Amino acid sequence: MRKLLYIILTALAVTACKKEIDFDFHEVQPIVVIEGRVTNEGTSVVITPSRSVTDSMRPRCLQGAVITVSAAGSPTLLTYDASTDSYRSPLKGVAGTTYELTVDYEGRHYEASAYMSAPAPILSADFFWMTVLDERMLVYELWAEDPYPSERNQYWYRIDRISHHPHFEGKTTTEAYRWGVIDDRGFPPGKVFIDIMTTSEKAMDEDEEEHWKSILYDGDSISCQLMTIDRPVYDYFSSLRAGQSGGANPRSNITGGCLGYFAAGSVTHTDTIVFRRNSVNEWTPRMLK
């Protein structure tokens, strides 16, 4: 019921009328932003200067930092990799371990720690049509196993899309299509359940330019990654999502006066779906496992 209510509220947001409001944002001096992750697939850290809320261009990674990630007092030094524009290490995280991050840059010292939980194996992922308030909505639904059924757990997810549609000037584009964080309150015992409202059938039929980034087209390749995260990282992404509309900065788990986050988590991936609109089935309550 909690998830169905979420879908209805999301549908209202998707179909609601829009009104443009102008804000007078004050410019401030750039602040260091650190985004670090230790996962079962490797370790990476990106350091950038903060940018104006009206600036959509992502700055390049700042070079010259000394970065280490440690577990049980054994430090690993990260090195800058030009091909990914980030600091990287082949260090792969192990579930049940607390990792420590230290960053020294231009005379400032930053620290953070994060606990790495076990992975959540993915059971299924697919698209369904759901009728909400007389509007047919396209829903992406994912099921996974809860690694700690008797505990409160948190998760971060990201859906990626590869599109070849002519709307994107004939270029193959790979982008983060949707992302978010959830905890497992109200989930079926031992299961992780995510349902994401993507777009409406009406928007797909009308195919207006303002909706191109949310519409899925036949031939789009869709995949999703799910990462278990600890509570401070969950709070960071929750506050990031909540503050996006007002330009507020999220609550960092890194000390030293910077923005950003440091996460340790186990990542799992779905199989890739090649989207075909005519192959999408209707959602029914029987699908709740």
Side-chain angles (χ1 to χ4, degrees):
M1 189 66 184
R2 174 175 173 260
K3 292 300 173 184
L4 183 57
L5 177 61
Y6 172 77
I7 290 176
I8 293 172
L9 292 175
T10 304
L12 288 172
V14 170
T15 59
C17 296
K18 295 181 180 180
K19 180 179 180 180
E20 292 187 3
I21 301 175
D22 293 327
F23 291 95
D24 182 17
F25 294 105
H26 298 286
E27 297 293 333
V28 297
Q29 289 298 316
I31 302 171
V32 169
V33 181
I34 300 173
E35 299 169 284
R37 302 201 330 171
V38 178
T39 75
N40 50 311
E41 299 176 340
T43 300
S44 65
V45 175
V46 177
I47 304 176
T48 56
S50 62
R51 64 181 189 272
S52 169
V53 71
T54 59
D55 184 1
S56 61
M57 296 296 294
R58 181 180 176 87
R60 292 187 58 81
C61 182
L62 299 171
Q63 299 183 45
V66 178
I67 303 174
T68 63
V69 172
S70 305
S74 179
T76 297
L77 181 67
L78 278 66
T79 57
Y80 177 74
D81 176 39
S83 64
T84 60
D85 195 30
S86 64
Y87 296 84
R88 305 189 75 85
S89 167
L91 172 69
K92 294 183 178 181
V94 177
T97 304
T98 297
Y99 290 90
E100 308 286 341
L101 170 73
T102 65
V103 176
D104 289 283
Y105 179 72
E106 293 190 341
R108 299 291 298 270
H109 181 76
Y110 309 96
E111 293 184 355
S113 65
Y115 178 78
M116 184 168 174
S117 298
I122 292 174
L123 301 173
S124 66
D126 211 342
F127 287 96
F128 298 98
W129 289 112
M130 177 180 288
T131 301
V132 181
L133 303 177
D134 297 324
E135 185 93 34
R136 285 185 92 215
M137 308 298 297
L138 184 65
V139 177
Y140 182 81
E141 183 175 279
L142 181 146
W143 287 88
E145 292 183 14
D146 189 337
Y148 307 105
S150 61
E151 301 176 13
R152 177 66 54 79
N153 304 300
Q154 298 82 37
Y155 306 90
W156 170 90
Y157 66 85
R158 189 182 79 184
I159 302 173
D160 290 322
R161 173 175 73 170
I162 300 176
S163 183
H164 312 275
H165 197 275
H167 284 336
F168 303 106
E169 301 178 353
K171 301 177 182 178
T172 299
T173 62
T174 303
E175 60 183 0
Y177 177 69
R178 293 285 189 274
W179 72 270
V181 289
I182 57 171
D183 65 19
D184 56 8
R185 289 177 295 177
F187 287 177
K191 295 291 191 298
V192 179
F193 172 55
I194 305 173
D195 48 9
I196 302 141
M197 193 74 62
T198 61
T199 188
S200 69
E201 185 178 45
K202 180 181 178 182
M204 298 176 80
D205 289 339
E206 294 176 347
D207 196 23
E208 295 179 349
E209 185 174 357
E210 63 179 310
H211 299 304
W212 284 355
K213 288 191 174 182
S214 63
I215 294 172
L216 294 179
Y217 297 95
D218 282 1
D220 286 358
S221 296
I222 305 297
S223 60
C224 182
Q225 56 179 294
L226 180 68
M227 183 169 72
T228 54
I229 55 177
D230 61 11
R231 188 75 198 189
V233 176
Y234 172 84
D235 290 340
Y236 169 84
F237 282 112
S238 294
S239 60
L240 175 63
R241 175 71 78 183
Q244 279 183 332
S245 59
N249 291 324
R251 296 171 297 199
S252 176
N253 66 338
I254 305 175
T255 65
C258 69
L259 301 176
Y261 71 96
F262 175 60
S266 298
V267 177
T268 52
H269 297 266
T270 65
D271 293 333
T272 298
I273 298 173
V274 178
F275 182 76
R276 301 293 178 191
R277 180 174 175 179
N278 291 337
S279 299
V280 177
N281 295 319
E282 295 291 333
W283 184 92
T284 70
R286 292 190 300 276
M287 293 175 186
L288 292 175
K289 301 172 178 65

